[in-house]
Amino acid sequence: MNGTALDGLREQLRGQLVTPSDPDYDSARAVYNGMIDKHPAGVVRVAQVADVIASVNFARDNSLPLAIRGGGHSAPGFGTWDDALVIDFVNRTGVRVDPEAGTARAEAGTTWADFNHATHAFGLATTGGIVGSTGIAGLTLGGGIGYLARKHGLSCDNLISADVVTADGKFLVASETQNEDLFWALRGGGGNFGVVTSLEYKLHPVDMVHAAIIIYSMEHADTVAKFYRDYMDTAPEDFGAFVGFHQGPPVPFLPEEWHGKPVCVVIGMWTGDPSEGAARWQPFLDVAPVAGSMVGPMPYPALNSAFDPLLPKGMQAYWKADFLSELNDGAIAAHLEYGSKVPSVQTSVHVYPIDGAVQRVGQTDTAFVNRGVKFSPVIACMWNDPADNEANIDWVRSYAAALRPHSSPGGYIGFMDGDDQGRISENYGVNYERLQAVKSKYDPGNLFHVNQNIKPA
């Protein structure tokens, strides 16, 4: 579709419509994953909800694919698409905090760094991601695992309501009392049901936390991983931490001899009584020789964005995810084999705990069905040189295959890649048919299919 054909849409917008003839087209079509090289028909940088409604109607009436971009972190690059109309929320990052009610409403282009900055001013937070530049919308709609999950549940468990533009161009509010079926589906079902324009969250008192980044050489990884597993079995829910595998990052508290070397890490925070913080982390400092560590009080947003400097926009990326009912010895052995071969300093292999408050929500209470597992391992491989694409993709696939025999069905939807479409029904299990029914009601023509797609029944 050429620019002239899009003029009819341009006249309906307050925001900016970027087309291939515009000088900023290449920057407008780019997402975080530099491997993605899509050429959309146009990118609408929306200014208000009316722009979203106009864009949805235009895409539907002109049979254009429609892609939705919040933070743009989707590894498969679902925030852009060939010959599509892209709805981009890059200019919609407002957050309004109601400290008395303990809630916040944020626009769909908000990142977790934006959100945490706004709520931290009031000593409040909700469960967010691990990287500050991640968008709140995509992470929440896929479930939302983060440091606070054990204590306060997933991001989607803290969602109070969402404003949604559906495939017929209608504006709806989804909540426990309005369009309840849509609200159920949004909490884990991804962007299949409409364009979410804002999200309202429940907040919790979280201000200073006792955080830790502890790094060990790989020779101690087996000891550390098994200790972590046993420790988390009885750890209070105030303790939110993951075990992972990296290359040693170039940070001041890690001696240079470890930079770029395969390492095992334990990273997280204690949100309970501040006086207990040091004691809660001491066992991890004692279990094995430490290559480097940073342990102490810090503002929650500082930990939540600690990885951001390593992850600029434009790197190559390929991801996989699974769920583990237990971090058994076989799974640990697979991590040791492949975690010792992490190919870049930007790559993150993390095993997130999702017990505690996450498991107190019923399997069918939200679309996020994986309530009986304890851990979510994710392989987020990122690197700079496209010449390494084939080797790194092979490493991720081999790693995931080694974990599969020890895994429960499904995998964390936010870390699925573009070749994981065949796992969608497995991912949603007993909730899949209900999700299909909701999809059939709100998007029977599958307008919203540039995602991990749930097809109408």
Side-chain angles (χ1 to χ4, degrees):
M1 177 169 287
N2 59 38
T4 302
L6 286 164
D7 283 345
L9 173 60
R10 196 186 308 271
E11 293 171 359
Q12 301 177 59
L13 300 174
R14 288 284 187 181
Q16 179 189 16
L17 173 60
V18 183
T19 62
S21 62
D22 292 314
D24 55 346
Y25 175 73
D26 281 339
S27 62
R29 69 185 181 90
V31 290
Y32 264 82
N33 186 352
M35 194 185 297
I36 306 301
D37 187 25
K38 304 291 188 181
H39 292 78
V43 178
V44 180
R45 292 169 170 162
V46 298
Q48 52 186 244
V49 172
D51 291 350
V52 178
I53 295 172
S55 299
V56 168
N57 289 336
F58 187 88
R60 184 194 63 243
D61 294 345
N62 289 276
S63 300
L64 280 176
L66 189 61
I68 316 302
R69 186 187 308 165
H73 265 247
S74 161
F78 289 144
T80 189
W81 207 251
D82 283 332
D83 303 317
L85 188 65
V86 176
I87 295 176
D88 188 355
F89 286 96
V90 64
N91 296 323
R92 308 308 304 165
T93 61
V95 182
R96 183 186 183 278
V97 179
D98 183 339
E100 290 191 10
T103 63
R105 177 169 290 281
E107 294 175 301
T110 304
T111 66
W112 284 108
D114 297 328
F115 188 90
N116 293 333
H117 177 76
T119 61
H120 185 68
F122 302 94
L124 299 169
T126 200
T127 305
I130 303 299
V131 176
S133 56
T134 302
I136 64 166
L139 186 130
T140 300
L141 297 179
I145 295 172
Y147 293 109
L148 290 167
R150 298 186 73 232
K151 186 173 183 179
H152 296 303
L154 303 171
S155 302
C156 72
D157 299 334
N158 289 280
L159 188 66
I160 298 171
S161 70
D163 292 342
V164 188
V165 176
T166 51
D168 55 4
K170 291 182 179 178
F171 175 84
L172 300 177
V173 176
S175 71
E176 292 283 8
T177 57
Q178 297 173 275
N179 302 297
E180 297 92 332
D181 56 346
L182 178 59
F183 185 59
W184 175 86
L186 291 175
R187 289 174 291 165
N192 276 282
F193 311 99
V195 185
V196 173
T197 62
S198 73
L199 305 96
E200 182 187 15
Y201 294 92
K202 181 190 334 179
L203 302 178
H204 309 276
V206 181
D207 192 353
M208 296 293 291
V209 300
H210 206 101
I213 301 174
I214 306 175
I215 302 174
Y216 312 84
S217 72
M218 279 299 298
E219 68 177 297
H220 302 298
D222 184 63
T223 298
V224 171
K226 289 175 179 175
F227 177 80
Y228 168 84
R229 174 189 64 194
D230 297 341
Y231 189 90
M232 296 304 289
D233 264 349
T234 58
E237 293 172 8
D238 289 302
F239 192 84
F242 61 84
V243 66
F245 304 91
H246 284 251
Q247 284 188 7
V251 291
F253 58 87
L254 183 67
E256 191 172 346
E257 65 187 280
W258 293 106
H259 293 184
K261 301 284 182 63
V263 295
C264 175
V265 303
V266 175
I267 300 174
M269 64 187 192
W270 166 258
T271 60
D273 184 341
S275 67
E276 297 180 22
R280 292 291 177 179
W281 281 110
Q282 192 61 45
F284 287 93
L285 297 172
D286 295 338
V287 68
V290 172
S293 67
M294 180 177 69
V295 183
M298 70 170 64
Y300 168 67
L303 178 62
N304 196 237
S305 59
F307 292 101
D308 290 15
L310 290 174
L311 304 173
K313 185 175 181 178
M315 289 184 302
Q316 312 292 292
Y318 185 76
W319 298 358
K320 291 292 176 191
D322 273 295
F323 288 113
L324 299 175
S325 58
E326 298 285 348
L327 184 56
N328 61 34
D329 289 353
I332 289 174
H335 278 298
L336 298 184
E337 179 181 356
Y338 288 92
S340 63
K341 304 169 187 173
V342 170
S344 69
V345 73
Q346 297 91 357
T347 293
S348 303
V349 180
H350 294 164
V351 181
Y352 299 125
I354 49 171
D355 55 349
V358 178
Q359 295 184 343
R360 289 196 289 275
V361 177
Q363 189 177 34
T364 60
D365 289 351
T366 68
F368 188 93
V369 72
N370 309 99
R371 301 289 182 170
V373 298
K374 287 187 177 181
F375 298 99
S376 174
V378 301
I379 309 166
C381 190
M382 289 168 277
W383 63 98
N384 288 314
D385 190 349
D388 296 330
N389 286 10
E390 183 177 355
N392 289 346
I393 289 171
D394 285 347
W395 174 79
V396 174
R397 288 174 174 167
S398 297
Y399 201 147
L403 283 175
R404 197 62 43 80
H406 311 287
S407 300
S408 299
Y412 186 30
I413 204 77
F415 278 81
M416 291 291 179
D417 218 296
D419 53 2
D420 283 314
Q421 184 63 43
R423 301 185 68 192
I424 301 304
S425 60
E426 173 196 336
N427 285 345
Y428 289 111
V430 297
N431 287 338
Y432 186 66
E433 289 187 5
R434 183 176 173 187
L435 284 164
Q436 283 189 300
V438 178
K439 177 74 170 180
S440 297
K441 176 179 177 180
Y442 290 98
D443 184 19
N446 205 12
L447 178 65
F448 305 111
H449 66 269
V450 182
N451 48 41
Q452 299 292 0
N453 193 227
I454 297 167
K455 294 178 174 60

